[in-house]
mmCIF file of all heavy atoms in Angstrom:
data_model
loop_
_atom_site.group_PDB
_atom_site.id
_atom_site.type_symbol
_atom_site.label_atom_id
_atom_site.label_comp_id
_atom_site.label_asym_id
_atom_site.label_seq_id
_atom_site.Cartn_x
_atom_site.Cartn_y
_atom_site.Cartn_z
ATOM 1 N N ASP A 310 9.830 45.156 72.485
ATOM 2 C CA ASP A 310 11.235 45.503 72.705
ATOM 3 C C ASP A 310 11.309 46.885 73.345
ATOM 4 O O ASP A 310 11.930 47.083 74.388
ATOM 5 C CB ASP A 310 12.056 45.398 71.406
ATOM 6 C CG ASP A 310 11.488 46.218 70.251
ATOM 7 O OD1 ASP A 310 10.351 46.734 70.363
ATOM 8 O OD2 ASP A 310 12.177 46.353 69.220
ATOM 9 N N SER A 311 10.630 47.853 72.728
ATOM 10 C CA SER A 311 10.637 49.228 73.220
ATOM 11 C C SER A 311 9.390 49.898 72.657
ATOM 12 O O SER A 311 9.081 49.715 71.473
ATOM 13 C CB SER A 311 11.909 49.925 72.718
ATOM 14 O OG SER A 311 11.678 51.291 72.459
ATOM 15 N N THR A 312 8.669 50.621 73.474
ATOM 16 C CA THR A 312 7.430 51.238 72.970
ATOM 17 C C THR A 312 7.749 52.296 71.908
ATOM 18 O O THR A 312 6.954 52.505 70.990
ATOM 19 C CB THR A 312 6.604 51.847 74.126
ATOM 20 O OG1 THR A 312 7.447 52.687 74.926
ATOM 21 C CG2 THR A 312 5.985 50.766 74.993
ATOM 22 N N ASN A 313 8.913 52.951 72.003
ATOM 23 C CA ASN A 313 9.317 53.880 70.934
ATOM 24 C C ASN A 313 9.508 53.103 69.623
ATOM 25 O O ASN A 313 9.030 53.515 68.561
ATOM 26 C CB ASN A 313 10.626 54.590 71.281
ATOM 27 C CG ASN A 313 10.410 55.852 72.095
ATOM 28 O OD1 ASN A 313 9.471 55.932 72.886
ATOM 29 N ND2 ASN A 313 11.271 56.841 71.926
ATOM 30 N N GLN A 336 9.387 45.843 78.769
ATOM 31 C CA GLN A 336 10.153 46.034 77.535
ATOM 32 C C GLN A 336 11.388 45.135 77.606
ATOM 33 O O GLN A 336 12.052 45.060 78.635
ATOM 34 C CB GLN A 336 10.636 47.472 77.402
ATOM 35 C CG GLN A 336 9.511 48.501 77.320
ATOM 36 C CD GLN A 336 10.055 49.912 77.121
ATOM 37 O OE1 GLN A 336 9.748 50.557 76.134
ATOM 38 N NE2 GLN A 336 10.855 50.390 78.059
ATOM 39 N N ALA A 338 13.931 45.483 75.415
ATOM 40 C CA ALA A 338 15.100 46.281 74.996
ATOM 41 C C ALA A 338 14.778 47.765 75.156
ATOM 42 O O ALA A 338 14.901 48.547 74.206
ATOM 43 C CB ALA A 338 15.479 45.947 73.553
ATOM 44 N N GLY A 339 14.349 48.137 76.355
ATOM 45 C CA GLY A 339 14.025 49.541 76.634
ATOM 46 C C GLY A 339 15.269 50.405 76.427
ATOM 47 O O GLY A 339 16.368 50.008 76.797
ATOM 48 N N ARG A 340 15.068 51.557 75.803
ATOM 49 C CA ARG A 340 16.214 52.415 75.479
ATOM 50 C C ARG A 340 16.144 53.734 76.227
ATOM 51 O O ARG A 340 15.077 54.304 76.418
ATOM 52 C CB ARG A 340 16.241 52.701 73.971
ATOM 53 C CG ARG A 340 16.531 51.462 73.138
ATOM 54 C CD ARG A 340 16.688 51.776 71.678
ATOM 55 N NE ARG A 340 15.413 52.170 71.055
ATOM 56 C CZ ARG A 340 15.161 53.379 70.579
ATOM 57 N NH1 ARG A 340 16.067 54.337 70.642
ATOM 58 N NH2 ARG A 340 13.995 53.632 70.039
ATOM 59 N N GLY A 341 17.319 54.204 76.660
ATOM 60 C CA GLY A 341 17.423 55.534 77.239
ATOM 61 C C GLY A 341 18.136 56.456 76.269
ATOM 62 O O GLY A 341 18.457 56.057 75.146
ATOM 63 N N ARG A 342 18.390 57.684 76.685
ATOM 64 C CA ARG A 342 19.129 58.607 75.817
ATOM 65 C C ARG A 342 20.589 58.179 75.762
ATOM 66 O O ARG A 342 21.081 57.470 76.620
ATOM 67 C CB ARG A 342 19.003 60.042 76.348
ATOM 68 C CG ARG A 342 17.597 60.594 76.159
ATOM 69 C CD ARG A 342 17.597 62.110 76.204
ATOM 70 N NE ARG A 342 18.315 62.624 77.362
ATOM 71 C CZ ARG A 342 17.759 62.835 78.563
ATOM 72 N NH1 ARG A 342 16.493 62.567 78.745
ATOM 73 N NH2 ARG A 342 18.479 63.314 79.553
ATOM 74 N N ARG A 345 21.858 54.452 76.158
ATOM 75 C CA ARG A 345 21.775 53.678 77.399
ATOM 76 C C ARG A 345 20.581 52.715 77.317
ATOM 77 O O ARG A 345 19.697 52.890 76.486
ATOM 78 C CB ARG A 345 21.583 54.621 78.595
ATOM 79 C CG ARG A 345 22.820 55.431 78.940
ATOM 80 C CD ARG A 345 22.559 56.266 80.172
ATOM 81 N NE ARG A 345 21.497 57.219 79.956
ATOM 82 C CZ ARG A 345 21.669 58.546 79.877
ATOM 83 N NH1 ARG A 345 22.868 59.063 80.008
ATOM 84 N NH2 ARG A 345 20.646 59.345 79.677
ATOM 85 N N TRP A 347 17.226 51.051 79.222
ATOM 86 C CA TRP A 347 16.269 51.389 80.272
ATOM 87 C C TRP A 347 15.684 50.068 80.747
ATOM 88 O O TRP A 347 14.861 49.454 80.062
ATOM 89 C CB TRP A 347 15.189 52.321 79.724
ATOM 90 C CG TRP A 347 14.292 52.906 80.780
ATOM 91 C CD1 TRP A 347 13.048 52.469 81.112
ATOM 92 C CD2 TRP A 347 14.555 54.045 81.610
ATOM 93 N NE1 TRP A 347 12.526 53.257 82.108
ATOM 94 C CE2 TRP A 347 13.435 54.249 82.440
ATOM 95 C CE3 TRP A 347 15.639 54.922 81.753
ATOM 96 C CZ2 TRP A 347 13.354 55.272 83.373
ATOM 97 C CZ3 TRP A 347 15.558 55.948 82.680
ATOM 98 C CH2 TRP A 347 14.422 56.115 83.486
ATOM 99 N N SER A 349 13.473 47.417 82.138
ATOM 100 C CA SER A 349 12.013 47.585 82.131
ATOM 101 C C SER A 349 11.247 46.342 82.563
ATOM 102 O O SER A 349 10.508 45.741 81.782
ATOM 103 C CB SER A 349 11.552 47.979 80.713
ATOM 104 O OG SER A 349 12.316 49.044 80.191
ATOM 105 N N LEU A 355 6.415 52.392 84.572
ATOM 106 C CA LEU A 355 5.515 52.695 83.459
ATOM 107 C C LEU A 355 6.400 52.874 82.230
ATOM 108 O O LEU A 355 7.412 53.577 82.286
ATOM 109 C CB LEU A 355 4.750 53.983 83.765
ATOM 110 C CG LEU A 355 3.948 54.598 82.617
ATOM 111 C CD1 LEU A 355 2.642 55.168 83.144
ATOM 112 C CD2 LEU A 355 4.726 55.680 81.893
ATOM 113 N N TYR A 356 6.024 52.212 81.138
ATOM 114 C CA TYR A 356 6.764 52.313 79.887
ATOM 115 C C TYR A 356 5.767 52.682 78.794
ATOM 116 O O TYR A 356 4.974 51.831 78.379
ATOM 117 C CB TYR A 356 7.449 50.982 79.549
ATOM 118 C CG TYR A 356 8.057 50.313 80.773
ATOM 119 C CD1 TYR A 356 7.500 49.150 81.305
ATOM 120 C CD2 TYR A 356 9.139 50.895 81.418
ATOM 121 C CE1 TYR A 356 8.033 48.561 82.442
ATOM 122 C CE2 TYR A 356 9.678 50.316 82.565
ATOM 123 C CZ TYR A 356 9.107 49.146 83.076
ATOM 124 O OH TYR A 356 9.628 48.580 84.212
ATOM 125 N N SER A 357 5.781 53.938 78.395
ATOM 126 C CA SER A 357 4.793 54.399 77.426
ATOM 127 C C SER A 357 5.421 55.308 76.390
ATOM 128 O O SER A 357 6.368 56.030 76.685
ATOM 129 C CB SER A 357 3.692 55.207 78.124
ATOM 130 O OG SER A 357 2.924 54.377 78.957
ATOM 131 N N SER A 358 4.844 55.281 75.192
ATOM 132 C CA SER A 358 5.261 56.235 74.164
ATOM 133 C C SER A 358 4.025 56.872 73.562
ATOM 134 O O SER A 358 3.030 56.201 73.293
ATOM 135 C CB SER A 358 6.046 55.534 73.060
ATOM 136 O OG SER A 358 7.234 54.991 73.581
ATOM 137 N N ASP A 399 14.793 65.313 82.545
ATOM 138 C CA ASP A 399 14.852 64.300 83.601
ATOM 139 C C ASP A 399 14.003 64.775 84.767
ATOM 140 O O ASP A 399 14.049 65.954 85.126
ATOM 141 C CB ASP A 399 16.283 64.121 84.115
ATOM 142 C CG ASP A 399 17.102 63.192 83.237
ATOM 143 O OD1 ASP A 399 16.505 62.509 82.374
ATOM 144 O OD2 ASP A 399 18.326 63.162 83.419
ATOM 145 N N LYS A 406 16.898 60.378 90.162
ATOM 146 C CA LYS A 406 16.061 60.339 88.954
ATOM 147 C C LYS A 406 14.885 59.380 89.140
ATOM 148 O O LYS A 406 15.061 58.225 89.513
ATOM 149 C CB LYS A 406 16.938 59.887 87.790
ATOM 150 C CG LYS A 406 16.236 59.794 86.463
ATOM 151 C CD LYS A 406 17.237 59.915 85.336
ATOM 152 C CE LYS A 406 16.685 59.396 84.030
ATOM 153 N NZ LYS A 406 17.554 59.722 82.891
ATOM 154 N N ALA A 408 12.183 59.580 86.642
ATOM 155 C CA ALA A 408 11.613 59.348 85.314
ATOM 156 C C ALA A 408 12.556 59.866 84.243
ATOM 157 O O ALA A 408 13.313 60.807 84.465
ATOM 158 C CB ALA A 408 10.256 60.043 85.189
ATOM 159 N N GLY A 409 12.520 59.207 83.089
ATOM 160 C CA GLY A 409 13.349 59.620 81.962
ATOM 161 C C GLY A 409 12.520 59.666 80.688
ATOM 162 O O GLY A 409 11.506 58.961 80.568
ATOM 163 N N ILE A 410 12.962 60.485 79.746
ATOM 164 C CA ILE A 410 12.187 60.700 78.526
ATOM 165 C C ILE A 410 13.105 60.604 77.309
ATOM 166 O O ILE A 410 14.217 61.131 77.323
ATOM 167 C CB ILE A 410 11.502 62.087 78.590
ATOM 168 C CG1 ILE A 410 10.442 62.056 79.703
ATOM 169 C CG2 ILE A 410 10.866 62.461 77.247
ATOM 170 C CD1 ILE A 410 9.955 63.395 80.139
ATOM 171 N N LEU A 411 12.638 59.888 76.308
ATOM 172 C CA LEU A 411 13.406 59.736 75.067
ATOM 173 C C LEU A 411 12.517 60.183 73.906
ATOM 174 O O LEU A 411 11.537 59.518 73.590
ATOM 175 C CB LEU A 411 13.821 58.264 74.889
ATOM 176 C CG LEU A 411 14.520 57.905 73.585
ATOM 177 C CD1 LEU A 411 15.898 58.563 73.504
ATOM 178 C CD2 LEU A 411 14.655 56.394 73.452
ATOM 179 N N GLY A 426 8.831 58.983 74.375
ATOM 180 C CA GLY A 426 8.856 57.789 75.222
ATOM 181 C C GLY A 426 9.105 58.195 76.664
ATOM 182 O O GLY A 426 10.024 58.957 76.955
ATOM 183 N N ILE A 427 8.273 57.674 77.542
ATOM 184 C CA ILE A 427 8.359 58.058 78.953
ATOM 185 C C ILE A 427 8.499 56.815 79.823
ATOM 186 O O ILE A 427 7.722 55.860 79.697
ATOM 187 C CB ILE A 427 7.097 58.862 79.367
ATOM 188 C CG1 ILE A 427 7.033 60.155 78.546
ATOM 189 C CG2 ILE A 427 7.095 59.156 80.879
ATOM 190 C CD1 ILE A 427 5.853 61.045 78.845
ATOM 191 N N GLY A 428 9.481 56.827 80.677
ATOM 192 C CA GLY A 428 9.653 55.754 81.658
ATOM 193 C C GLY A 428 9.569 56.357 83.047
ATOM 194 O O GLY A 428 10.288 57.306 83.351
HETATM 195 C C1 BTN B 1252 16.528 58.454 79.616
HETATM 196 O O1 BTN B 1252 16.397 59.032 80.688
HETATM 197 O O2 BTN B 1252 17.655 58.142 79.193
HETATM 198 C C2 BTN B 1252 15.299 58.165 78.803
HETATM 199 C C3 BTN B 1252 14.566 56.940 79.242
HETATM 200 C C4 BTN B 1252 13.311 56.677 78.434
HETATM 201 C C5 BTN B 1252 12.653 55.357 78.761
HETATM 202 C C6 BTN B 1252 11.327 55.194 78.076
HETATM 203 S S1 BTN B 1252 10.441 53.770 78.623
HETATM 204 C C7 BTN B 1252 9.279 53.964 77.329
HETATM 205 C C8 BTN B 1252 10.062 54.369 76.087
HETATM 206 N N1 BTN B 1252 10.572 53.215 75.385
HETATM 207 C C9 BTN B 1252 11.901 53.150 75.412
HETATM 208 O O3 BTN B 1252 12.594 52.252 74.897
HETATM 209 N N2 BTN B 1252 12.406 54.195 76.078
HETATM 210 C C10 BTN B 1252 11.355 55.078 76.557
#
Side-chain angles (χ1 to χ4, degrees):
D310 55 350
S311 146
T312 50
N313 273 32
Q336 298 183 120
R340 293 186 290 114
R342 289 201 310 272
R345 289 183 298 250
W347 190 260
S349 311
L355 169 142
Y356 319 110
S357 292
S358 297
D399 277 348
K406 180 156 162 170
I410 293 164
L411 175 67
I427 298 180

